[in-house]
Amino acid sequence: MSDRQVDESVIRADRLSKVIALFAAIGTFLVAARVTGDVQFNMIVAAFVGIGVRIYVPYHASITTGDPDHEPIQAYEGTGNYHQGAVGAAVTIAALAALVAMALEPDSTRSLVAGAGVGGVSFFALRSLLPS
């Protein structure tokens, strides 16, 4: 682990990501309520979008700090040893894919399984495409 201090913009983005994730979850729920009539499914999709956004925003701030000698967010103490950008984006993509699947074929179980499959594939693709 690194003894370096986390850039101030990453700390600010981490705090702001809570608010952004809340609004993303609320917006997703409102859109999902228009698309489907299944409130429980809509809550699941909205929660996962919020979680994905919450994970992705600090990652995005960490790669855009402008510091040419920056370390990946995984190098800082207190963060997990996984690709936060890929996980955050994949969770959001999975939730949105489940919503699309539910709109096309109203079966919540199949839609959630389809979303999980799309999320898994997108994680492995994004892990190699996104910078760490």
Side-chain angles (χ1 to χ4, degrees), residues 5-70:
Q5 291 293 330
V6 177
D7 190 73
E8 185 63 35
S9 65
V10 176
I11 295 171
R12 207 172 324 116
D14 183 50
R15 290 185 191 128
L16 187 60
S17 71
K18 297 170 188 173
V19 175
I20 295 170
L22 177 65
F23 283 114
I26 291 170
T28 303
F29 181 79
L30 293 175
V31 169
R34 294 265 186 210
V35 174
T36 73
D38 190 344
V39 176
Q40 184 177 3
F41 176 83
N42 297 344
M43 288 188 298
I44 293 169
V45 168
F48 276 95
V49 166
I51 291 167
V53 168
R54 173 77 171 99
I55 295 171
Y56 183 80
V57 170
Y59 159 78
H60 186 76
S62 76
I63 62 170
T64 58
T65 59
D67 181 11
D69 192 32
H70 96 282

Side-chain angles (χ1 to χ4, degrees), residues 78-130:
T79 60
N81 191 16
Y82 58 91
H83 197 298
Q84 280 88 353
V87 170
V91 169
T92 304
I93 290 168
L96 296 176
L99 181 59
V100 169
M102 182 70 161
L104 297 175
E105 181 66 38
D107 179 5
S108 62
T109 303
R110 275 197 265 175
S111 298
L112 291 172
V113 169
V118 169
V121 170
S122 64
F123 168 73
F124 288 110
L126 291 170
R127 187 174 65 173
S128 62
L129 292 175
L130 292 175

